[in-house]
Structure formats: structure tokens, C-alpha cells
């Protein structure tokens, strides 16, 4: 007879995530999508706003692999934010070898998420300045459209930070003071 390991539970019950945090986590995955789809259009051979000469560097196999990988990895990283509002952010899914079924230590989720949120905020802080930089390799319409497609990325870091803060608040250990008497 094989004994199954009981599901890992947290030492203290954790409140469900607030509705705003769940919405923010899903929105995080959506704000990354427009720029990723634009890069995939480039991979598929559509100039997507570039002039013929400007599009030429994107036709190499290396450039296509890079753009496709960047799009997929960006979306997967954004989807990790869902773990801060879903059960798999509290207990590692059983199908993951060696650690499946174990409780996620809150700081193991909070620290990387907070660092990621800070990095993303810094990386995309200049996106609103897109139109102040020259883009001679793009058409006027392409410059406008690409700028619009990249603007949602400004929200990626702050949304991740908000969801991370919510996760942290729900999972922090309350220190109880024992009465002496």
C-alpha cells in the first residue's frame, strides 16, 4: 500500500486575494501581449511599420529566433504574476519533479517578484518618450503604431508590484505576543 503525501497547507490560513489583485494579475499578462504580437508579425515576415531597408535586419534567422524567444519569455514571465493570486503560488503543482506538493515560502515568491517589478518599472519607464526619439527606419504610421503597442509595458512593473504587495500582505506571519501571567 502506498501512502500519498497530504497536500501541503500553510501554517495559518491565508485570505483569498482581493478582486483588484486578481484583475491586476490578469491585466499584467495582457499588457505584454501587444508588443509580443507585433514582434511575432516581424518573425512571420510582415514589415510591421518598418521601411524596406529598416526591416532588412529582422529577416535573419538569428533575429527571428531572438524576437520569438523574447515574445514567448516576456509573456511567460508576465503569466508568473498569476501565481501570486492562484493556488499554485501557495503550493507547488504536484507535476513538478522533486518539489511538487510543497508549500511555497512566501519570501521565495515575494523577493523575485518585487525585484522583477522594480526592474520592469525601470526598463519601461521611458516608453512614453518613444515618439521623442528618431526612428528613420520606420514609416510615420509604423512609428505611431509601434509606440502605441509598447505603451502598455509601462504598466507591467507597477501592476506586478501591486500584486506582489497584495501577496505579501496576505502571507506575512503575524507575530503574536504571549501574555505572561
Amino acid at each position: 500500500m502506498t501512502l500519498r503525501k497530504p497536500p501541503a497547507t500553510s501554517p495559518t490560513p491565508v485570505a483569498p486575494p482581493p478582486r483588484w489583485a486578481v484583475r491586476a494579475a490578469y491585466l499584467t499578462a495582457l499588457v505584454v501581449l501587444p508588443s509580443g504580437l507585433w514582434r511575432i508579425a516581424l518573425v512571420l515576415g510582415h514589415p510591421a511599420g518598418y521601411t524596406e531597408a529598416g526591416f532588412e535586419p529582422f529577416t535573419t534567422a538569428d533575429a527571428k529566433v531572438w524576437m520569438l524567444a523574447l515574445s514567448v519569455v516576456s509573456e511567460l514571465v508576465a503569466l508568473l504574476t498569476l501565481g501570486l493570486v492562484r493556488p499554485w503560488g501557495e503550493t507547488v503543482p504536484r507535476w513538478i519533479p522533486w518539489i511538487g506538493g510543497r508549500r511555497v515560502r512566501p519570501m521565495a515568491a515575494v523577493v523575485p517578484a518585487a525585484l522583477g517589478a522594480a526592474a520592469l518599472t525601470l526598463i519601461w519607464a521611458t516608453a512614453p518618450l518613444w515618439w521623442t526619439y528618431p526612428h528613420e527606419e520606420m514609416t510615420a504610421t509604423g512609428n505611431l503604431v509601434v509606440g502605441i503597442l509598447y505603451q502598455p509595458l509601462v504598466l507591467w512593473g507597477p501592476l506586478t508590484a501591486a500584486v506582489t504587495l497584495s501577496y505579501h500582505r496576505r502571507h506575512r506571519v503575524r507575530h503574536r505576543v504571549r501574555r505572561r501571567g
Side-chain angles (χ1 to χ4, degrees), residues 63-99:
K64 289 180 180 193
V65 167
W66 166 249
M67 289 183 297
L68 186 59
L70 180 61
S71 297
V72 171
V73 169
S74 295
E75 194 60 42
L76 290 174
V77 168
L79 287 169
L80 282 176
T81 307
L82 294 175
L84 299 172
V85 297
R86 303 292 300 151
W88 52 270
E90 295 171 10
T91 304
V92 179
R94 291 206 173 275
W95 57 266
I96 296 180
W98 301 293
I99 61 170

Side-chain angles (χ1 to χ4, degrees), residues 13-163:
V14 176
R19 188 178 299 172
W20 70 262
V22 174
R23 289 181 179 157
Y26 281 95
L27 185 58
T28 301
L30 291 176
V31 300
V32 178
L33 202 54
S35 59
L37 293 175
W38 174 75
R39 285 189 297 273
I40 289 171
L42 291 172
V43 169
L44 296 175
H46 188 304
Y50 279 99
T51 62
E52 191 173 318
F55 180 63
E56 188 63 33
F58 297 102
T59 59
T60 67
D62 287 346
K64 289 180 180 193
V65 167
W66 166 249
M67 289 183 297
L68 186 59
L70 180 61
S71 297
V72 171
V73 169
S74 295
E75 194 60 42
L76 290 174
V77 168
L79 287 169
L80 282 176
T81 307
L82 294 175
L84 299 172
V85 297
R86 303 292 300 151
W88 52 270
E90 295 171 10
T91 304
V92 179
R94 291 206 173 275
W95 57 266
I96 296 180
W98 301 293
I99 61 170
R102 291 188 184 174
R103 185 176 70 84
V104 173
R105 292 179 182 257
M107 293 312 282
V110 170
V111 170
L115 292 173
L120 290 166
T121 300
L122 290 173
I123 289 168
W124 295 111
T126 60
L129 302 175
W130 169 265
W131 295 284
T132 64
Y133 303 123
H135 298 282
E136 292 88 17
E137 71 282 356
M138 300 191 91
T139 66
T141 304
N143 186 37
L144 175 66
V145 171
V146 172
I148 291 169
L149 294 175
Y150 270 78
Q151 292 312 301
L153 292 172
V154 172
L155 299 173
W156 190 2
L159 285 169
T160 302
V163 177

